[in-house]
Structure formats: structure tokens, C-alpha cells
Amino acid sequence: MSAVEARGIKKRFAAFERTGLISRRRIIVNALTGLSFDIGWGEAYGLLGPNGAGKSTAVKILSTLLLPDEGSATVNGFDVVSQPREVRRSIGLVLYPDKGFYARLSGRENLVYFGRLYGLSKSEADSRAAELLKLMDLSNAADRPYEEYSLGMRVRLSIARALIHDPPVIYLDEPTIGLDPISSKSVRELLMELKKNGKAILLTSHNLWEVEEVCDDVGIINGGRIIMEGEPSEIKARLGLKYVIEIDVSVGSSLKTLRVETKDPAVELRRLLGEVDGEVKGIKIREPTLEEAFVAAVSNGRN
Amino acid sequence: MGAINEFAAVMENEFRIISREPGGLALLVILPYFVAGGTAVIASFLASVNRYRFAEQFIGFEVVMLSIIMMQTGARFLREERNGGRLEYLLASPTNMFIVLFGTSLVMASSIVAAFTVSLMPIAYGVYGVQGMMRALASIVLLMIGLMPLYGLGLALSGLVLRFRDSDSLMGLITSAASLLSGATYPMQALPRWLGFLVKVLPMHVLDDALYYELIGYLNAAHVVYLALASAAYLSLGAYLYGRLQRSLLRKGIV
């Protein structure tokens, strides 16, 4: 059984377009047009897509905040439509990392409150909150009001809330937005640790290198459906993205750089080294990035 | 046990938030005197003042105020949660929203019932002596029952606020209409028959009557039965409408 299974989810929204001072026209927006993907236990799945592609709609359906028009989805084996309470118990959610808390309550009070809403007793919520505040490096600010927290602290508190009831599945929508590099790194390390502990993670982020570092599988969503899916390296290979090989060669007293783009770096490097006439001073091989893959996939989709 | 723990958490949290609002705690403490003073002044303007009439008018205005507060409390809570980005987290938690709404409203209800009782007791003593004061104290139970139908109406209003983003004007309109139709601050005989019927269907008029008759020592069992039935009917209606509107929100999505 997968941790999360989405099968052919469709979602349409009715919206209104102004056509005059008073008059308006009803339009239908197809937010999801048959979304399917799986997340296994101990895996992180990166959902990538341009703005308006349907990422948030997908996350909301999987968190029972929206009902799908068609298709089905299960989380931890529970159906999102017919067993919403069980699904909610199974997930930890980071939707808006920088808000969603009571401004005048302290970080600890906020965590304890949400913990109790997830069925923890007061003492369980207290000890779990203390544990998470320590993990998120917020112990020193635990009793300060949330309104005094910096953006980075708010994000960390939001992640702590998602973990308060120790859920088996975690959704994170742009969790490192606004974080400094050290905090971002610690969040990534935490996500890797959670994966190791068997949790399933659904991550959306605009930091594609971050997705590449954390996620085992990536789904590129556009127009409400997955247009490409697989391991980051697979996606790059499938799109035929080229590696760049740079060889610094010393010929006499001058230093020349040979630069070649190739899909097969091992073969090409061997060939180049055989042909080089001079002393090789350095070799650099630059892999195509997930960002390039994303741009290529979305551009292909649009074309 | 789970639901009790969740309910306790919601109430505790609400008390904590009120106590941290600037002046919130102070307001809670002075609220009874504020309510008593304010309504006494209004009542003395609008009624030909003898002490019995004054006490009757006083209860009428209190009922109108409590009704407005009770009907709006859930809706206001949801609006604040949405504006603060907390609504989705509450909806995504396994705690039933009825528990959240009832917990927050009960905190408000307790505060306003306390305010009502504290402000009524000196008047009851002044007009009907020690016995009147004791009966005013006993009216707490009656008031709690009488506020339930209004909470039912408040649930329906909460559903509207949840479902429609720009529902402030609608909320204002409904609460204004409800307070005009309270039948608590004017003689019912002045109304056309059809409007009188509407007023009698709404719970405010009977609550006002019940509180007044309790104060003067002539509480009729019919009042209590009516309030209990109205509680069941309005709470069921409110819960049904709220459930429908929340379901509709889950189809439409939170904007």
C-alpha cells in the first residue's frame, strides 16, 4: 500500500469574469484534469509546476480541504472523501509557512493547542511541543508571543505544528520560503531524517535544487495533470538534457579550455581525453539541473 | 474523552486569547457595569420610567444585546480565523468544527451571561428586594437555555460567513433584522398580526418574557418548554445549514 495514492483527480472551479460595470460571465477553470501519482513510505515526492498549475488544489484535495469532482485518492489507506477524519489524523500540513497561528499566544501555546486538536492530551501536547521546539531550535523563543517571531522562526514553528501529532504523511508547501541558508539546510536535513524514519513527504517548492536534494521522485504538473514523472535523474535523461564537459588543457605556455555538450558524458570524456594534445590540467562535468528539466518539460507542454 | 479534551482545549485557548487582547481582560471585568449602565440609560429614555417598567425594559435591552452577540460570535470567529490564515488548519484538523464553534461561543456566552447577571442583580434587588435578586441569580439557567436557539441561528450565520467571503453586510443585515424582530423592547400589540407571528417564532421574545416572569416570580412552565423546544429546533436547523454550507465550501474551495 502506498502512503498517498491519487487516481485521475479532476477539479473544476466556477469563476466570474467581469464583462461590464455590472454584468459578468461565468467561466469554468479546470484546475485538475486527471491527476495521478503515488508516494511510497519513506519517500519524498516533489510536486513541481508553474503558478496556477494545480499544485495547491492537489494538496488541498489530499488534505480534505477540497472535494474532488472526479477520481479518487487515499492517504495512509483512507479515502479522502469518505474517511476525512482518518485522513486528517494521518497528515501534517504546512500550507502557509509564515502565518496561521494566534499572534498573541506564544509558540509553545500555539503548538499545544493544535496538538490537542489532533487528539493529544494536555500533558502529551506539552511534552511533544517542548521536543519539537528544541528540534526546531526555538526553545529560547518558546514563550515569546508569535507576533514577535521572525519569518524564519514562523516557518520553523509551522513545520513543528505539522509534526506535533507525529503523522505518517507530511505535506509541505514551500516550507523553506524566507529561510536563511542555515535554517533551510536544517529543514532539508530534517526532511531527510523524516524520510529515514519511514514518513511519506509531499513537497512543493520553487527551490528546485532543494527538491532535487530531498525528493526521490518528482512530478511535473502543468494544466492540472502530471506531464512528467520519475527520479530527477530519469527526468533529465528523458528530456535529453545535455551535460557540459570542460577540459583545461595546457599546450606549451598557454592554457586552453575545451567545452563540449553531450548526453553521454562518459563516452564523450573518453573520446576527448584520447584526442587531447597536451597536458590535462582540469576536468569539470556539469550535470543538467532539475531547473533546466522543469523549464524544458513545461515549455514542451505549452508548445 | 477525545471530544472533551478537544472542547476543553478550544475553550482554554479562547479564554487565553481574550485575556491577551489589549484591554480584553479589563473589558471582561468592566463589561457587566458597562452593559448595566448603558442599557439603563437607554431604557430610561425609551420607557415612561417607574421602577417596574424600568426593570422590564432593562431585561428587554439585555436580551437584544445578548442575542446579537450570540448570533454573531461564531461568524466573527470564523472570519478572524480566515483572515489570520488559521481556518484551513482548523478545517484540516480531525476536530469537528462544531466543537470548535461551540467551544468559542460558550466562552463568549459565559462572559455575557455573567455580565447580564451581575448587571441585573442590583436592579432586581432595588425593585424586588432580596427575593428578586435571588431569582435574578436563578435566571442564569434560563438564560443559558434561551441562548441556545440564538446559537443555532448563529451557526447558520457562521455557515454563510464560511461559504461567502463578502458576507459582512449580510451578517449586519440579519443581526439588525433579528434585533428589530426581538419583540423585547416594544409592545407586541403594536405590530401587525403577521409580523407578530414572525416575532413569536423567533426565540428572543419568549426569552425576554421568561426572564421577566422569572424575575417577578411568575415563570410559566410553557416558557421553559418553548425555550427547550426552540433550542432543539434552532440548533438542529443551524447545524444542518452549517453542515450544508461547509460541504459547499469544500466543493468550492477557500478563497
Short mmCIF file of all heavy atoms in Angstrom, two decimals, chain A residues 132-182:
data_model
loop_
_atom_site.label_atom_id
_atom_site.label_comp_id
_atom_site.label_asym_id
_atom_site.label_seq_id
_atom_site.Cartn_x
_atom_site.Cartn_y
_atom_site.Cartn_z
N LEU A 132 9.61 19.37 20.00
CA LEU A 132 9.69 19.96 18.65
C LEU A 132 10.31 21.36 18.68
O LEU A 132 11.03 21.74 17.75
CB LEU A 132 8.30 20.02 18.02
CG LEU A 132 7.75 18.67 17.59
CD1 LEU A 132 6.27 18.75 17.27
CD2 LEU A 132 8.52 18.13 16.38
N LEU A 133 10.03 22.11 19.73
CA LEU A 133 10.64 23.44 19.84
C LEU A 133 12.16 23.31 19.92
O LEU A 133 12.89 24.10 19.33
CB LEU A 133 10.09 24.18 21.06
CG LEU A 133 8.65 24.69 20.91
CD1 LEU A 133 8.04 25.01 22.27
CD2 LEU A 133 8.60 25.92 20.00
N LYS A 134 12.60 22.29 20.60
CA LYS A 134 14.04 22.04 20.69
C LYS A 134 14.59 21.64 19.32
O LYS A 134 15.61 22.16 18.86
CB LYS A 134 14.29 20.94 21.72
CG LYS A 134 15.72 20.84 22.15
CD LYS A 134 15.87 19.83 23.27
CE LYS A 134 17.34 19.53 23.48
NZ LYS A 134 17.53 18.32 24.25
N LEU A 135 13.88 20.73 18.67
CA LEU A 135 14.30 20.25 17.35
C LEU A 135 14.39 21.40 16.35
O LEU A 135 15.28 21.43 15.50
CB LEU A 135 13.30 19.19 16.85
CG LEU A 135 13.61 18.51 15.53
CD1 LEU A 135 14.78 17.56 15.68
CD2 LEU A 135 12.39 17.74 15.03
N MET A 136 13.45 22.33 16.46
CA MET A 136 13.41 23.45 15.52
C MET A 136 14.24 24.64 15.99
O MET A 136 14.12 25.73 15.43
CB MET A 136 11.95 23.90 15.33
CG MET A 136 11.09 22.90 14.60
SD MET A 136 11.67 22.75 12.92
CE MET A 136 11.06 21.15 12.51
N ASP A 137 14.98 24.44 17.05
CA ASP A 137 15.85 25.49 17.59
C ASP A 137 15.03 26.73 18.00
O ASP A 137 15.43 27.87 17.77
CB ASP A 137 16.90 25.88 16.54
CG ASP A 137 18.07 26.61 17.15
OD1 ASP A 137 18.25 26.49 18.38
OD2 ASP A 137 18.77 27.33 16.43
N LEU A 138 13.88 26.45 18.61
CA LEU A 138 13.01 27.55 19.05
C LEU A 138 12.84 27.57 20.57
O LEU A 138 12.02 28.32 21.09
CB LEU A 138 11.63 27.43 18.39
CG LEU A 138 11.53 27.77 16.91
CD1 LEU A 138 10.19 27.35 16.34
CD2 LEU A 138 11.76 29.26 16.67
N SER A 139 13.61 26.75 21.26
CA SER A 139 13.42 26.64 22.72
C SER A 139 13.55 27.99 23.41
O SER A 139 12.78 28.31 24.32
CB SER A 139 14.44 25.68 23.31
OG SER A 139 14.17 24.39 22.86
N ASN A 140 14.50 28.80 22.95
CA ASN A 140 14.71 30.09 23.62
C ASN A 140 13.56 31.06 23.40
O ASN A 140 13.36 31.97 24.20
CB ASN A 140 16.01 30.75 23.11
CG ASN A 140 17.22 29.98 23.59
OD1 ASN A 140 17.13 29.25 24.58
ND2 ASN A 140 18.33 30.12 22.89
N ALA A 141 12.84 30.86 22.28
CA ALA A 141 11.73 31.78 21.98
C ALA A 141 10.38 31.14 22.25
O ALA A 141 9.34 31.71 21.93
CB ALA A 141 11.80 32.20 20.51
N ALA A 142 10.39 29.98 22.90
CA ALA A 142 9.15 29.20 23.04
C ALA A 142 8.04 29.97 23.72
O ALA A 142 6.87 29.80 23.39
CB ALA A 142 9.45 27.92 23.82
N ASP A 143 8.40 30.84 24.68
CA ASP A 143 7.36 31.52 25.45
C ASP A 143 7.17 32.98 25.04
O ASP A 143 6.49 33.74 25.73
CB ASP A 143 7.68 31.40 26.95
CG ASP A 143 7.68 29.93 27.37
OD1 ASP A 143 6.69 29.23 27.03
OD2 ASP A 143 8.67 29.47 27.97
N ARG A 144 7.76 33.32 23.90
CA ARG A 144 7.53 34.68 23.36
C ARG A 144 6.30 34.65 22.47
O ARG A 144 6.03 33.63 21.82
CB ARG A 144 8.74 35.12 22.54
CG ARG A 144 9.82 35.78 23.41
CD ARG A 144 11.08 35.99 22.64
NE ARG A 144 10.88 36.71 21.39
CZ ARG A 144 11.79 36.72 20.40
NH1 ARG A 144 12.91 36.09 20.53
NH2 ARG A 144 11.54 37.40 19.30
N PRO A 145 5.55 35.77 22.38
CA PRO A 145 4.36 35.76 21.51
C PRO A 145 4.75 35.54 20.05
O PRO A 145 5.80 36.02 19.60
CB PRO A 145 3.76 37.15 21.68
CG PRO A 145 4.46 37.78 22.82
CD PRO A 145 5.72 37.05 23.08
N TYR A 146 3.90 34.84 19.34
CA TYR A 146 4.15 34.52 17.93
C TYR A 146 4.35 35.78 17.11
O TYR A 146 5.17 35.80 16.19
CB TYR A 146 2.95 33.73 17.39
CG TYR A 146 3.01 33.43 15.92
CD1 TYR A 146 3.85 32.44 15.44
CD2 TYR A 146 2.24 34.15 15.01
CE1 TYR A 146 3.91 32.16 14.08
CE2 TYR A 146 2.28 33.87 13.66
CZ TYR A 146 3.12 32.88 13.20
OH TYR A 146 3.18 32.61 11.85
N GLU A 147 3.65 36.87 17.45
CA GLU A 147 3.75 38.10 16.66
C GLU A 147 5.16 38.68 16.68
O GLU A 147 5.52 39.49 15.83
CB GLU A 147 2.72 39.13 17.11
CG GLU A 147 2.89 39.60 18.53
CD GLU A 147 1.70 40.40 19.04
OE1 GLU A 147 0.85 40.78 18.23
OE2 GLU A 147 1.64 40.65 20.26
N GLU A 148 5.96 38.26 17.66
CA GLU A 148 7.34 38.77 17.73
C GLU A 148 8.33 37.87 16.99
O GLU A 148 9.52 38.16 16.94
CB GLU A 148 7.78 38.89 19.19
CG GLU A 148 7.07 40.00 19.94
CD GLU A 148 7.47 40.04 21.41
OE1 GLU A 148 8.45 39.38 21.80
OE2 GLU A 148 6.77 40.74 22.17
N TYR A 149 7.86 36.80 16.42
CA TYR A 149 8.75 35.85 15.72
C TYR A 149 9.20 36.42 14.38
O TYR A 149 8.42 37.08 13.69
CB TYR A 149 8.03 34.53 15.48
CG TYR A 149 8.00 33.56 16.64
CD1 TYR A 149 8.10 34.00 17.95
CD2 TYR A 149 7.89 32.20 16.43
CE1 TYR A 149 8.06 33.12 19.02
CE2 TYR A 149 7.86 31.30 17.50
CZ TYR A 149 7.95 31.78 18.79
OH TYR A 149 7.91 30.90 19.83
N SER A 150 10.43 36.13 14.02
CA SER A 150 10.90 36.49 12.67
C SER A 150 10.30 35.49 11.67
O SER A 150 9.73 34.46 12.08
CB SER A 150 12.43 36.40 12.62
OG SER A 150 12.81 35.04 12.75
N LEU A 151 10.43 35.81 10.39
CA LEU A 151 9.87 34.94 9.35
C LEU A 151 10.42 33.51 9.47
O LEU A 151 9.69 32.54 9.41
CB LEU A 151 10.17 35.52 7.97
CG LEU A 151 9.62 34.74 6.78
CD1 LEU A 151 8.11 34.64 6.84
CD2 LEU A 151 10.04 35.39 5.47
N GLY A 152 11.72 33.44 9.66
CA GLY A 152 12.35 32.12 9.77
C GLY A 152 11.80 31.32 10.94
O GLY A 152 11.54 30.13 10.84
N MET A 153 11.58 32.00 12.06
CA MET A 153 11.04 31.32 13.25
C MET A 153 9.61 30.86 12.99
O MET A 153 9.20 29.78 13.42
CB MET A 153 11.09 32.27 14.45
CG MET A 153 12.49 32.57 14.94
SD MET A 153 12.56 34.07 15.93
CE MET A 153 12.02 33.48 17.49
N ARG A 154 8.85 31.68 12.27
CA ARG A 154 7.47 31.31 11.96
C ARG A 154 7.42 30.05 11.09
O ARG A 154 6.58 29.18 11.28
CB ARG A 154 6.76 32.46 11.23
CG ARG A 154 6.50 33.62 12.15
CD ARG A 154 5.89 34.80 11.46
NE ARG A 154 5.73 35.87 12.43
CZ ARG A 154 4.86 36.85 12.35
NH1 ARG A 154 4.06 36.92 11.31
NH2 ARG A 154 4.76 37.76 13.28
N VAL A 155 8.33 30.02 10.12
CA VAL A 155 8.37 28.85 9.24
C VAL A 155 8.70 27.60 10.05
O VAL A 155 8.06 26.56 9.90
CB VAL A 155 9.41 29.07 8.11
CG1 VAL A 155 9.58 27.80 7.30
CG2 VAL A 155 8.99 30.22 7.21
N ARG A 156 9.67 27.73 10.94
CA ARG A 156 10.07 26.57 11.74
C ARG A 156 8.95 26.13 12.68
O ARG A 156 8.71 24.93 12.86
CB ARG A 156 11.35 26.89 12.53
CG ARG A 156 12.58 26.75 11.65
CD ARG A 156 13.84 27.04 12.40
NE ARG A 156 14.08 28.47 12.47
CZ ARG A 156 14.73 29.08 13.45
NH1 ARG A 156 15.18 28.40 14.46
NH2 ARG A 156 14.92 30.38 13.42
N LEU A 157 8.20 27.11 13.20
CA LEU A 157 7.08 26.76 14.07
C LEU A 157 5.98 26.05 13.27
O LEU A 157 5.33 25.13 13.76
CB LEU A 157 6.50 28.02 14.73
CG LEU A 157 5.49 27.76 15.83
CD1 LEU A 157 6.15 27.14 17.06
CD2 LEU A 157 4.77 29.05 16.25
N SER A 158 5.81 26.48 12.03
CA SER A 158 4.80 25.87 11.16
C SER A 158 5.15 24.40 10.89
O SER A 158 4.27 23.53 10.88
CB SER A 158 4.75 26.66 9.86
OG SER A 158 3.57 26.40 9.19
N ILE A 159 6.43 24.15 10.70
CA ILE A 159 6.86 22.76 10.47
C ILE A 159 6.67 21.95 11.77
O ILE A 159 6.23 20.81 11.73
CB ILE A 159 8.32 22.71 9.98
CG1 ILE A 159 8.41 23.38 8.60
CG2 ILE A 159 8.81 21.27 9.88
CD1 ILE A 159 9.81 23.58 8.08
N ALA A 160 6.96 22.60 12.89
CA ALA A 160 6.76 21.92 14.18
C ALA A 160 5.29 21.54 14.35
O ALA A 160 4.97 20.44 14.81
CB ALA A 160 7.21 22.81 15.32
N ARG A 161 4.39 22.43 13.95
CA ARG A 161 2.96 22.12 14.07
C ARG A 161 2.60 20.91 13.22
O ARG A 161 1.80 20.06 13.62
CB ARG A 161 2.11 23.32 13.66
CG ARG A 161 0.63 22.94 13.57
CD ARG A 161 -0.29 24.11 13.34
NE ARG A 161 0.09 24.90 12.19
CZ ARG A 161 -0.42 26.09 11.93
NH1 ARG A 161 -1.32 26.62 12.71
NH2 ARG A 161 -0.03 26.77 10.86
N ALA A 162 3.18 20.86 12.01
CA ALA A 162 2.86 19.73 11.12
C ALA A 162 3.30 18.40 11.74
O ALA A 162 2.75 17.36 11.40
CB ALA A 162 3.54 19.94 9.77
N LEU A 163 4.29 18.47 12.63
CA LEU A 163 4.82 17.22 13.21
C LEU A 163 4.27 16.93 14.61
O LEU A 163 4.61 15.92 15.20
CB LEU A 163 6.35 17.31 13.30
CG LEU A 163 7.09 17.54 11.98
CD1 LEU A 163 8.57 17.72 12.24
CD2 LEU A 163 6.87 16.36 11.04
N ILE A 164 3.42 17.82 15.11
CA ILE A 164 3.02 17.75 16.52
C ILE A 164 2.37 16.41 16.88
O ILE A 164 2.57 15.89 17.97
CB ILE A 164 2.10 18.95 16.91
CG1 ILE A 164 1.86 19.01 18.43
CG2 ILE A 164 0.76 18.91 16.22
CD1 ILE A 164 2.95 19.64 19.19
N HIS A 165 1.60 15.83 15.95
CA HIS A 165 0.93 14.56 16.28
C HIS A 165 1.66 13.37 15.64
O HIS A 165 1.08 12.29 15.52
CB HIS A 165 -0.54 14.61 15.85
CG HIS A 165 -0.74 14.93 14.41
ND1 HIS A 165 -0.32 16.10 13.83
CD2 HIS A 165 -1.33 14.24 13.41
CE1 HIS A 165 -0.63 16.11 12.56
NE2 HIS A 165 -1.23 14.99 12.27
N ASP A 166 2.89 13.62 15.25
CA ASP A 166 3.74 12.58 14.66
C ASP A 166 3.02 11.84 13.53
O ASP A 166 2.87 10.60 13.56
CB ASP A 166 4.15 11.58 15.77
CG ASP A 166 5.32 10.72 15.33
OD1 ASP A 166 6.01 11.11 14.37
OD2 ASP A 166 5.53 9.65 15.93
N PRO A 167 2.59 12.58 12.50
CA PRO A 167 1.80 11.94 11.42
C PRO A 167 2.69 11.11 10.50
O PRO A 167 3.88 11.44 10.33
CB PRO A 167 1.23 13.14 10.67
CG PRO A 167 2.23 14.22 10.87
CD PRO A 167 2.84 14.00 12.21
N PRO A 168 2.13 10.10 9.87
CA PRO A 168 2.95 9.30 8.95
C PRO A 168 3.16 9.97 7.59
O PRO A 168 4.07 9.61 6.86
CB PRO A 168 2.14 8.01 8.79
CG PRO A 168 0.74 8.37 9.12
CD PRO A 168 0.80 9.49 10.11
N VAL A 169 2.28 10.94 7.27
CA VAL A 169 2.38 11.63 5.96
C VAL A 169 2.47 13.13 6.21
O VAL A 169 1.73 13.66 7.05
CB VAL A 169 1.13 11.32 5.09
CG1 VAL A 169 1.24 12.01 3.74
CG2 VAL A 169 0.96 9.82 4.91
N ILE A 170 3.37 13.78 5.49
CA ILE A 170 3.55 15.23 5.70
C ILE A 170 3.51 15.96 4.36
O ILE A 170 4.17 15.55 3.41
CB ILE A 170 4.91 15.50 6.39
CG1 ILE A 170 4.95 14.76 7.74
CG2 ILE A 170 5.12 16.99 6.64
CD1 ILE A 170 6.34 14.43 8.17
N TYR A 171 2.69 17.01 4.30
CA TYR A 171 2.65 17.86 3.10
C TYR A 171 3.31 19.19 3.45
O TYR A 171 2.95 19.82 4.44
CB TYR A 171 1.22 18.18 2.68
CG TYR A 171 0.32 17.00 2.45
CD1 TYR A 171 -1.05 17.14 2.64
CD2 TYR A 171 0.80 15.78 2.00
CE1 TYR A 171 -1.91 16.08 2.42
CE2 TYR A 171 -0.05 14.72 1.78
CZ TYR A 171 -1.40 14.87 1.99
OH TYR A 171 -2.26 13.82 1.78
N LEU A 172 4.20 19.62 2.60
CA LEU A 172 4.86 20.91 2.83
C LEU A 172 4.80 21.75 1.56
O LEU A 172 5.32 21.34 0.52
CB LEU A 172 6.33 20.72 3.24
CG LEU A 172 6.57 19.86 4.48
CD1 LEU A 172 7.18 18.53 4.09
CD2 LEU A 172 7.48 20.57 5.45
N ASP A 173 4.13 22.88 1.66
CA ASP A 173 4.02 23.78 0.52
C ASP A 173 5.02 24.92 0.72
O ASP A 173 4.83 25.76 1.59
CB ASP A 173 2.57 24.30 0.46
CG ASP A 173 2.25 24.94 -0.88
OD1 ASP A 173 3.12 24.93 -1.77
OD2 ASP A 173 1.13 25.44 -1.04
N GLU A 174 6.06 24.91 -0.04
CA GLU A 174 7.11 25.94 0.05
C GLU A 174 7.62 26.11 1.49
O GLU A 174 7.56 27.20 2.06
CB GLU A 174 6.57 27.29 -0.44
CG GLU A 174 6.05 27.30 -1.84
CD GLU A 174 7.16 27.39 -2.88
OE1 GLU A 174 8.32 27.65 -2.49
OE2 GLU A 174 6.87 27.16 -4.05
N PRO A 175 8.13 25.05 2.09
CA PRO A 175 8.46 25.16 3.51
C PRO A 175 9.66 26.02 3.83
O PRO A 175 9.79 26.49 4.96
CB PRO A 175 8.74 23.70 3.90
CG PRO A 175 9.20 23.05 2.65
CD PRO A 175 8.47 23.73 1.55
N THR A 176 10.55 26.24 2.87
CA THR A 176 11.77 27.00 3.22
C THR A 176 11.71 28.43 2.71
O THR A 176 12.73 29.11 2.73
CB THR A 176 13.01 26.30 2.65
OG1 THR A 176 12.82 26.14 1.24
CG2 THR A 176 13.25 24.96 3.29
N ILE A 177 10.51 28.85 2.31
CA ILE A 177 10.40 30.22 1.79
C ILE A 177 10.79 31.20 2.90
O ILE A 177 10.33 31.10 4.02
CB ILE A 177 8.97 30.46 1.25
CG1 ILE A 177 8.93 31.65 0.33
CG2 ILE A 177 7.95 30.60 2.34
CD1 ILE A 177 7.70 31.69 -0.56
N GLY A 178 11.67 32.11 2.56
CA GLY A 178 12.08 33.14 3.51
C GLY A 178 13.10 32.70 4.54
O GLY A 178 13.45 33.46 5.44
N LEU A 179 13.56 31.47 4.44
CA LEU A 179 14.53 30.99 5.44
C LEU A 179 15.96 31.34 5.00
O LEU A 179 16.27 31.33 3.81
CB LEU A 179 14.44 29.48 5.60
CG LEU A 179 13.26 28.92 6.39
CD1 LEU A 179 13.45 27.43 6.60
CD2 LEU A 179 13.12 29.61 7.72
N ASP A 180 16.82 31.59 5.98
CA ASP A 180 18.22 31.82 5.64
C ASP A 180 18.86 30.47 5.28
O ASP A 180 18.30 29.41 5.58
CB ASP A 180 18.95 32.49 6.81
CG ASP A 180 18.88 31.66 8.06
OD1 ASP A 180 19.49 30.57 8.08
OD2 ASP A 180 18.20 32.07 9.02
N PRO A 181 20.02 30.50 4.63
CA PRO A 181 20.60 29.24 4.14
C PRO A 181 20.83 28.20 5.24
O PRO A 181 20.60 27.01 5.01
CB PRO A 181 21.94 29.67 3.54
CG PRO A 181 21.76 31.10 3.21
CD PRO A 181 20.81 31.66 4.20
N ILE A 182 21.19 28.65 6.43
CA ILE A 182 21.47 27.67 7.50
C ILE A 182 20.16 27.00 7.95
O ILE A 182 20.09 25.77 8.10
CB ILE A 182 22.18 28.35 8.69
CG1 ILE A 182 23.56 28.82 8.22
CG2 ILE A 182 22.32 27.40 9.87
CD1 ILE A 182 24.27 29.74 9.16
#
